[in-house]
Amino acid sequence: MYRILALVLLAGPASGWAQPADTTVTAAVELARFEDARALAIDPTGLLYVADAGQGAVLRLDAGGRLLAALGGPGTGEGRFDEPADIDPTNGLILVVADAGNGRLQRFSRDFLLLESIPVGDEGTAGRTASSSFLARDSEVTDRAAGRPVAVVTSEAQELFAVDARRKVVVQWDRNRRFVRLIGDQEPGLLLEPVALAADARSLYVADRARAAVVVYDPFGGFVRMLAEGRARDVRAVTTAGERVVIVLPERLLVYDASGRLERVIDVHLGAPLVDVAFRGETAYLLTPARLFRAGGLLPAR
């Protein structure tokens, strides 16, 4: 049986920004529970995916929160995960998992057949992976091949991007998973503490916790602008919803339009901090470390 949780949504100091909320959510439906959820994604068919680091697994759920399948389990072997941190279901046919503790991305078919494992941190000595800027920015890292991918996204052009939290950069591969470049390793647009990313046809969006902002790049890694600079304190995630960009804070969603204008502020108090959100039409799925909720009307159609 679903549980209805009444929400009291108040703007206040906990959000790190005094602007009052534009939207009040009066109720949300609890759909599922987890051990240590880290990320949420939705594929084009409406299926939900949750990376649960507590189980060392990626869970597939239907729109009502019913568990359909589980992928992985704790371990270092093929198809196993150590702190799965993010998932990208791309076009619904391929699933990419950021296997943070094992320093790799793993790509699976829709049927959970392992297609390939992509190490993060040893993209090739011919690229900028071994640059002096990398060594200067993280002197404690002695193994250049030991990356820590905490976020992953595939662009509409089928290029692959991953946040390497250890090197504090975004790694880009082409559609054939050949290393292209590092993004965010120099000014302007230097990344300090990247934690999440999203992409649309025009831009790459990288949530940077130290900057309290989302850094926007063009498809070639060129710096474009900052969103919510200084306002996105303790940013947890960033996602796209149609023409909108949604920044996820522990108790607040900041919604920007395609021009970079703040469109809507939504305060959310679920009894635990938000981890991630996903949208399908006007339906929002809200993830905390232990629970998944569904709410409507957060992003009404224009």
Side-chain angles (χ1 to χ4, degrees):
M1 180 180 295
Y2 296 137
R3 295 185 180 184
I4 306 296
L5 177 69
L7 304 181
V8 178
L9 297 123
L10 302 171
S15 70
W17 190 9
Q19 179 168 328
D22 299 299
T23 301
T24 300
V25 179
T26 58
V29 178
E30 181 182 327
L31 301 181
R33 295 197 173 197
F34 312 100
E35 293 183 18
D36 184 11
R38 300 289 180 88
L40 170 68
I42 186 168
D43 75 11
T45 70
L47 294 179
L48 303 168
Y49 295 83
V50 174
D52 189 340
Q55 299 184 52
V58 171
L59 309 177
R60 177 188 284 162
L61 304 94
D62 66 16
R66 181 170 64 94
L67 180 64
L68 301 177
L71 170 63
T76 60
E78 292 185 349
R80 295 282 176 169
F81 305 118
D82 179 8
E83 291 187 76
D86 197 15
I87 59 274
D88 175 27
T90 61
N91 58 5
L93 301 177
I94 301 294
L95 181 70
V96 187
V97 181
D99 186 7
N102 287 319
R104 65 190 177 188
L105 306 178
Q106 295 195 70
R107 296 179 73 247
F108 299 88
S109 71
R110 183 177 175 84
D111 297 325
F112 292 167
L113 173 67
L114 179 65
L115 302 177
E116 64 181 318
S117 179
I118 305 171
V120 175
D122 63 350
E123 293 83 20
T125 57
R128 291 158 60 198
T129 302
S131 67
S132 59
S133 63
F134 158 50
L135 296 176
R137 291 175 57 196
D138 198 345
S139 59
E140 294 180 0
V141 176
T142 57
D143 183 359
R144 297 181 185 179
R148 183 173 175 80
V150 297
V152 63
V153 71
T154 304
S155 71
E156 292 187 11
Q158 299 304 303
E159 292 185 304
L160 186 64
F161 299 85
V163 167
D164 183 353
R166 185 157 292 165
R167 290 179 290 171
K168 305 177 181 66
V169 295
V170 174
V171 187
Q172 179 182 358
W173 295 266
D174 67 15
R175 62 185 303 129
N176 296 311
R177 275 79 63 201
R178 293 175 301 202
F179 171 67
V180 175
R181 63 174 61 90
L182 299 182
I183 298 171
D185 61 340
Q186 57 189 325
E187 294 285 7
L190 180 71
L191 295 171
L192 302 179
E193 189 186 354
V195 296
L197 77 169
D200 59 23
R202 301 175 304 275
S203 304
L204 179 72
Y205 306 93
V206 185
D208 190 315
R209 192 165 291 164
R211 287 189 176 273
V214 167
V215 188
V216 185
Y217 303 91
D218 65 26
F220 306 101
F223 173 72
V224 176
R225 66 165 71 96
M226 298 271 193
L227 294 179
E229 186 171 9
R231 296 170 170 176
R233 190 176 71 188
D234 200 17
V235 60
R236 300 301 178 92
V238 60
T239 189
T240 57
E243 294 294 311
R244 295 163 164 131
V245 178
V246 182
I247 300 173
V248 182
L249 309 183
E251 296 181 334
R252 172 164 279 196
L253 304 178
L254 306 178
V255 183
Y256 286 81
D257 65 17
S259 69
R261 179 184 64 88
L262 180 65
E263 179 181 298
R264 181 176 291 253
V265 178
I266 306 168
D267 274 2
V268 182
H269 292 211
L270 293 168
L274 287 171
V275 170
D276 207 349
V277 301
F279 293 90
R280 183 170 175 82
E282 295 188 21
T283 300
Y285 295 92
L286 308 166
L287 183 68
T288 72
R291 295 186 288 181
L292 175 68
F293 299 91
R294 183 179 63 211
L298 270 67
L299 294 183
R302 292 184 175 127

